[in-house]
Amino acid sequence: MTTDADGFELRTHQRRALTGLDAAWRAGRRRCWVVLPPGAGKTLVGLESARLLLAGRQVERVAVLSPNTAIQGQWVRQAETIGLEAGDDRSLSAALTSLTYQSLAVFDPDAETDEDGHGTPLISRLHENGRLLIKQLQEAGPVLLILDECHHLLEVWGRLLAELLDLLPQARVLGLTATPPAALTRGEAALVAELFGPIVFETSIPAVVREGDLAPFAELVWLTEPTPTEQDWLAESAERFAELVTGLSDPAYGSVPFLTWLERRFVQRAGDAPGWEALARSEPALALAALRVHHAGLLALPDGAVIAEEHRRDPTADDWVVLIDDWVKGALLASHDPADAPVLAGIRRALPSVGYVLTKRGVRRGRSPVDRVLARSESKVVAAAQIVYHERLALGDGLRLLVLCDHERASATLPADLDGVLSEQAGSAHAALSALLADVGGSPDAVLVTGTTVAGAPATLAALRDHIAATDAALAARLAVEDGADYGRLVGPWTSRTWVGHVTRFFEAGGCHVLVGTRGLLGEGWDARRITGIVDLTAVTTATAVVQTRGRALRIDPANPAKVAINWSLACVAAGHPRGDNDWQRLVRKHDGYFGVDDDGTVVDGVGHIDAAFSPYLPPPATEFEALNARMLVRAEDRDAIRARWRIGEPYDDAPTRTVRIRPDRPGRLGTAGDPRPVVVREGALEVRSGAPHLRPSRIAATAGWTLTGTAAAGWGVAAAAASPGLAVASTALTGLALVTAVPATVWRGRALRAEGRRRVAAAAEPPSVTQLAGAVADGLHAAGRLPVGADRLRVEVDRSGTYRVRLAEVAEPHAALFASALDEVLAPLASPRYIISRWVVTDRERTGHELARIGATGRIAPDGEVWHAVPSVLAGNAQEAEQFGRAWDHWIGGGAPLYTGSPRGSGVLAAQRGADPLAVTTMIRRQWS
């Protein structure tokens, strides 16, 4: 941490952001955008920039707009600590005025349409107070408008602010947000570009953690199954859809059967139909579903399709629905065949069980009671109580755990078919508090704080009242503990504006160790530095909400410099139900784009940082839940190890890249991660690589009484020695022992040749290493001009599970992604590539002594077969690029030239090899932060 000229403490990223802003203002920029994670000090960056502009008379007034009153107050308080006059009066009388977005966007409901009923500009629809504020901004002279947490303007106030800024052309505008630009939709990104222009400064959560300015953390998950009552209901709800899916394979089901439609649509495509690549771009969900049906064995592989990790799973309910919708709209709705009426009726009956309805225009999404059961399963609050219990064991009195829910109480009545399945308050903050107080060993000091209620055990609430009395005796005297059926409530003449601060201070002081609340109140803008972790019971999955929720726990605790935060997510999975992975997919969306450290110390995006074996496409089997949860608890207990994995203070690039994870499905199918194997197998011959310590770099002389001298001898660990007639020098290279044996030269020659042959066969029988395969891809892409670097930038590592991690270092993410995708195609089972390429295979089968001697003497060998791989599609567009890949492949692997699958021989080979798995590995592409 450093200080500026006026003595304010600035962190590394605050200083860099201010340097960028200063340069932008000096260059004449009027609108700037800065991205800093929660807890990284956005407010101080905004205040310091405002102070410098005010001091330089570049602006006369500063107006700050933020999303809620909590953040509004923070701006005023922090401005005063640095000596800046601040207030929250709409008159803009102070140098800096802090307001909420709502103070501007108070619409007059009578001004929504003009006399003809047409929509009017938003500015003209503002209430009088809003229009007055705009007038004051226009008359304030040069003004700096700071839009804090400006992602909110994309959701609610975007168009209004665009119109406002048109009225303030000379205003400087500074947008501050924690939402990374990669999380923006195309429309949001366009609006940001219009309002702010390019980003002035951006940093990530991992970068601020590495600097030591945010707490190191781990993201963990607790997996549950529905309760028995919930499972019974889910099983019943699944029957109709299961019957529908079974009926889809019936060739008599409909005038155009479902599988016939898919064959026509994706495989036998009409001559004027767009190619597979164009279809995948225009209708990605449809293409994804079709390839999963192919994986299930119900559809031939469409020409041009490439099978990737996301396709190698059975179709989900959503996949079936998107295909059914295509079938319904393309064949059934336009049909006059009476046989199609009962088919449509069956679809109409089955779809509601998975959250869809059939209309006259096709299938649309409806309400899904299944999703409600999984999101609010009683098993999740039971699991939350278990997490709290174990965290208390680990931290004792140091525990400060936040349990976050979406809502205080359920407002909507349960659907009739869920009566008796879920309680009315399932998933609410009150249900979570009840579970915590009722748990054996539980949390008697848990306190619930929402916008309308402060609740908990009566003894804890009495202690809270005593705590309040120390700073506000008058208020405490008017508060009373009101007993309830399950717990008490602290009631009196106060509101959330007052009690949130008191409860927060009580929590941080250790008066209670668990705080239960809603993300609306205890999320964005709420600050408690002593939080040791979060138990996330919310269903929200937007990037903004996820970053803000996790950000509550990442602030540095001055009283505990060794703080490590543990953030728990909960997911309920119903194995066997067509929508039973809904909650898992919600977990995946929460972590998509969010970086965390995994068990091997790698900072990765997505559920891979929770567990390296997790797939974003399907949950683990339920039989593994107990072991997974136990593993999570063990990881949570070792906070020192989590801190060490973050490597605080070490250098970093603050740039994401792509990594290919390669897990062999069975041993022996993939070589070591390091050096390439010592030989390249070519058709009929072996090429020995230089430096191979157990093979001769040149052919053995076929005469009696040979010796190795000079460079060759030194290279193979053989001591140079004079050989008497009839004697030879033998060396045991693996042990380093040199033996001189008096044997006839012809006998020695035969033994040496056979031994050399065995070594060469053993070396040739080794499968290619990860380094070889990745090297061929990297050099092939580089030779074709697709990558700026080649195999010299390869990084290959092996984690503790035996999974290889392969990436290109020091390249931009698009190049890393291109390499990762190409390597994935080379390793994957053959689909329908445009070009294929082979590698020769030598096995370690028994060979006669004569064969071994000949191999040892000449290096010639007859391969036992060929294995075929796809040439990456990015290099298969023309023969020249395919040949460049072929040369790189030949250098690293050996094998023939690329074979065009449109040729007679190529189509024959592909027909015979399609679906063959060349290496029996599972591949996954993941984003990694470096």
Side-chain angles (χ1 to χ4, degrees):
M1 191 171 295
T2 61
T3 59
D4 70 0
D6 295 280
F8 303 126
E9 283 193 333
L10 295 174
R11 299 171 180 174
T12 299
H13 292 103
Q14 291 172 324
R15 188 175 66 255
R16 292 175 182 171
L18 286 167
T19 299
L21 282 172
D22 182 62
W25 299 137
R26 289 177 183 275
R29 287 267 303 263
R30 288 281 173 180
R31 300 181 181 184
C32 296
W33 180 26
V34 170
V35 181
L36 286 170
K42 294 189 300 297
T43 303
L44 184 55
V45 168
L47 288 171
E48 179 67 355
S49 188
R51 190 182 66 82
L52 293 173
L53 290 173
L54 286 167
R57 305 303 298 264
Q58 295 168 277
V59 299
E60 296 293 333
R61 288 287 185 271
V62 178
V64 181
L65 296 178
S66 52
N68 56 50
T69 55
I71 300 176
Q72 177 190 17
Q74 288 175 12
W75 278 91
V76 174
R77 291 190 297 274
Q78 288 201 35
E80 291 172 346
T81 63
I82 67 170
L84 192 59
E85 179 196 14
D88 56 8
D89 191 297
R90 288 169 175 266
S91 66
L92 307 183
S93 57
L96 181 144
T97 300
S98 179
L99 302 169
T100 64
Y101 287 116
Q102 290 90 338
S103 67
L104 175 67
V106 180
F107 292 108
D108 183 345
D110 295 329
E112 291 188 4
T113 58
D114 61 19
E115 291 181 357
D116 296 322
H118 299 125
T120 57
L122 291 176
I123 291 290
S124 65
R125 288 172 48 194
L126 290 181
H127 188 275
E128 182 180 349
N129 289 340
R131 291 197 292 270
L132 178 60
L133 177 58
I134 291 175
K135 182 179 179 181
Q136 289 169 330
L137 286 169
Q138 289 174 314
E139 296 174 352
V143 64
L144 170 65
L145 184 62
I146 299 178
L147 306 176
D148 192 17
E149 305 295 359
C150 65
H151 51 269
H152 284 276
L153 65 89
L154 305 176
E155 302 163 3
V156 182
W157 293 280
R159 284 182 52 224
L160 171 64
L161 284 167
E163 293 180 17
L164 169 63
L165 297 182
D166 286 341
L167 299 176
L168 301 170
Q170 300 306 311
R172 297 174 189 261
V173 182
L174 171 58
L176 299 172
T177 183
T179 302
L184 301 179
T185 66
R186 182 175 299 179
E188 290 170 342
L191 181 56
V192 165
E194 174 189 344
L195 295 178
F196 304 118
I199 295 175
V200 169
F201 179 78
E202 174 190 4
T203 194
S204 65
I205 290 175
V208 186
V209 173
R210 188 68 67 86
E211 288 286 347
D213 293 326
L214 286 178
F217 65 96
E219 294 285 334
L220 304 180
V221 69
W222 190 288
L223 299 176
T224 73
E225 293 185 89
T227 65
T229 300
E230 294 163 357
Q231 286 182 337
D232 290 343
W233 182 88
L234 288 166
E236 184 178 346
S237 77
E239 286 182 7
R240 284 183 178 175
F241 192 74
E243 290 171 359
L244 173 62
V245 171
T246 300
L248 294 177
S249 61
D250 184 349
Y253 195 57
S255 59
V256 179
F258 178 72
L259 296 182
T260 301
W261 172 259
L262 297 188
E263 188 76 16
R264 293 175 183 173
R265 187 80 161 84
F266 302 112
V267 180
Q268 303 171 353
R269 303 171 61 73
D272 59 346
W276 179 262
E277 188 175 339
L279 174 70
R281 279 198 307 269
S282 62
E283 300 181 81
L286 191 66
L288 173 69
L291 293 186
R292 285 179 173 171
V293 170
H294 161 73
H295 174 79
L298 298 175
L299 180 69
L301 185 68
D303 186 41
V306 176
I307 302 298
E309 179 189 357
E310 62 265 32
H311 307 125
R312 294 191 285 268
R313 63 157 297 175
D314 289 338
T316 66
D318 288 338
D319 294 329
W320 288 117
V321 168
V322 74
L323 293 170
I324 289 170
D325 180 49
D326 190 69
W327 177 45
V328 165
K329 290 188 292 191
L332 300 185
L333 288 179
S335 171
H336 300 290
D337 192 319
D340 289 330
V343 175
L344 287 169
I347 293 172
R348 188 171 287 108
R349 285 193 303 272
L351 288 182
S353 66
V354 290
Y356 290 89
V357 293
L358 178 61
T359 71
K360 293 180 179 180
R361 296 188 177 183
V363 178
R364 66 172 177 82
R365 189 177 291 276
R367 293 184 176 180
S368 174
V370 172
D371 194 38
R372 185 165 185 166
V373 169
L374 295 175
R376 302 185 182 184
S377 171
E378 303 282 356
S379 68
K380 293 171 80 169
V381 292
V382 173
Q386 291 180 275
I387 291 169
V388 170
Y389 171 74
H390 286 285
E391 286 285 83
R392 185 184 295 276
L393 289 178
L395 296 180
D397 192 54
L399 177 70
R400 301 289 188 279
L401 199 60
L402 176 63
V403 179
L404 273 185
C405 304
D406 284 315
H407 51 271
E408 176 185 354
R409 289 185 178 277
S411 56
T413 304
L414 280 174
D417 59 346
L418 291 182
D419 186 30
V421 179
L422 290 177
S423 70
E424 283 283 346
Q425 295 305 319
S428 70
H430 280 280
L433 179 65
S434 295
L436 292 176
L437 295 179
D439 185 58
V440 177
S443 302
D445 63 351
V447 170
L448 178 144
V449 56
T450 68
T452 62
T453 307
V454 177
T460 306
L461 296 180
L464 171 58
R465 184 177 55 192
D466 292 342
H467 185 270
I468 295 171
T471 55
D472 193 339
L475 173 62
R478 291 180 290 169
L479 299 178
V481 177
E482 183 181 87
D483 288 336
D486 299 320
Y487 41 80
R489 290 166 176 78
L490 192 60
V491 298
W494 63 342
T495 66
S496 61
R497 276 201 173 196
T498 302
W499 69 54
V500 168
H502 284 298
V503 173
T504 300
R505 289 187 288 274
F506 180 65
F507 173 62
E508 293 215 274
C512 68
H513 295 91
V514 181
L515 206 56
V516 182
T518 61
R519 62 180 177 85
L521 188 69
L522 302 184
E524 186 174 69
W526 179 68
D527 192 5
R529 295 179 179 274
R530 299 212 64 188
I531 294 177
T532 57
I534 293 171
V535 178
D536 183 6
L537 288 168
T538 69
V540 67
T541 60
T542 63
T544 295
V546 170
V547 169
Q548 290 294 340
T549 297
R550 266 69 185 159
R552 300 313 98 199
L554 302 189
R555 283 160 168 75
I556 295 294
D557 180 1
N560 179 19
K563 169 183 167 178
V564 172
I566 303 291
N567 296 327
W568 289 89
S569 299
L570 293 99
C572 181
V573 179
H577 193 281
R579 295 195 69 87
D581 67 344
N582 268 22
D583 217 35
W584 174 264
Q585 292 305 323
R586 191 173 2 256
L587 174 76
V588 169
R589 291 193 297 274
K590 282 186 177 185
H591 290 269
D592 184 28
Y594 191 83
F595 285 93
V597 68
D598 69 12
D599 218 16
D600 285 292
T602 304
V603 179
V604 293
D605 168 19
V607 291
H609 59 240
I610 302 176
D611 191 291
F614 280 178
S615 166
Y617 306 110
L618 73 167
T623 54
E624 296 180 9
F625 285 6
E626 186 175 351
L628 278 167
N629 294 340
R631 193 158 74 236
M632 295 290 153
L633 288 173
V634 170
R635 188 173 166 194
E637 289 174 358
D638 196 352
R639 280 169 158 82
D640 288 341
I642 293 169
R643 170 175 285 276
R645 292 184 191 113
W646 277 101
R647 304 200 303 275
I648 296 171
E650 294 186 16
Y652 59 91
D653 292 332
D654 198 14
T657 186
R658 299 295 174 111
T659 301
V660 184
R661 296 187 177 186
I662 306 167
R663 185 174 65 242
D665 294 339
R666 54 183 186 270
R669 294 300 298 270
L670 203 58
T672 59
D675 295 333
R677 61 180 175 179
V679 298
V680 175
V681 182
R682 306 194 189 284
E683 187 174 13
L686 303 177
E687 178 185 312
V688 178
R689 294 187 182 276
S690 60
H694 60 294
L695 296 173
R696 303 189 187 285
S698 57
R699 294 178 182 173
I700 299 173
T703 58
W706 55 268
T707 60
L708 287 179
T709 60
T711 303
W716 299 103
V718 178
S724 302
L727 296 177
V729 176
S731 173
T732 54
L734 294 180
T735 63
L737 299 177
L739 305 176
V740 179
T741 308
V743 294
T746 54
V747 174
W748 166 247
R749 182 186 64 177
R751 290 177 181 174
L753 293 176
R754 288 192 294 275
E756 179 67 11
R758 288 190 187 94
R759 285 194 290 270
R760 290 187 179 231
V761 169
E766 291 182 19
S769 71
V770 172
T771 299
Q772 285 176 271
L773 294 159
V777 173
D779 280 349
L781 291 169
H782 180 51
R786 302 282 185 165
L787 284 182
V789 300
D792 57 313
R793 296 290 179 85
L794 270 180
R795 301 294 183 268
V796 181
E797 302 164 331
V798 186
D799 66 22
R800 66 185 65 188
S801 71
T803 299
Y804 300 102
R805 301 186 182 195
V806 187
R807 63 185 174 90
L808 281 182
E810 301 172 31
V811 296
E813 186 175 8
H815 288 134
L818 178 68
F819 164 76
S821 178
L823 179 58
D824 185 62
E825 289 183 56
V826 168
L827 300 176
L830 274 187
S832 56
R834 184 178 173 84
Y835 283 90
I836 53 179
I837 196 165
S838 70
R839 60 179 170 86
W840 301 105
V841 176
V842 172
T843 66
D844 56 0
R845 61 177 173 80
E846 286 292 324
R847 288 174 170 80
T848 66
H850 176 72
E851 286 181 287
L852 292 172
R854 179 177 54 77
I855 294 169
T858 67
R860 296 190 178 280
I861 192 168
D864 297 317
E866 286 177 289
V867 172
W868 293 87
H869 295 255
V871 172
S873 54
V874 69
L875 297 178
N878 60 65
Q880 182 179 358
E881 290 192 337
E883 288 169 2
Q884 287 170 322
F885 175 77
R887 285 191 286 272
W889 182 267
D890 187 65
H891 168 76
W892 285 95
I893 307 292
L899 180 61
Y900 177 50
T901 56
S903 68
R905 178 170 177 250
S907 61
V909 171
L910 184 59
Q913 297 292 323
R914 182 178 277 125
D917 194 344
L919 287 165
V921 298
T922 298
T923 57
M924 300 164 282
I925 298 177
R926 299 289 182 263
R927 289 181 84 216
Q928 176 176 325
W929 179 85
S930 51

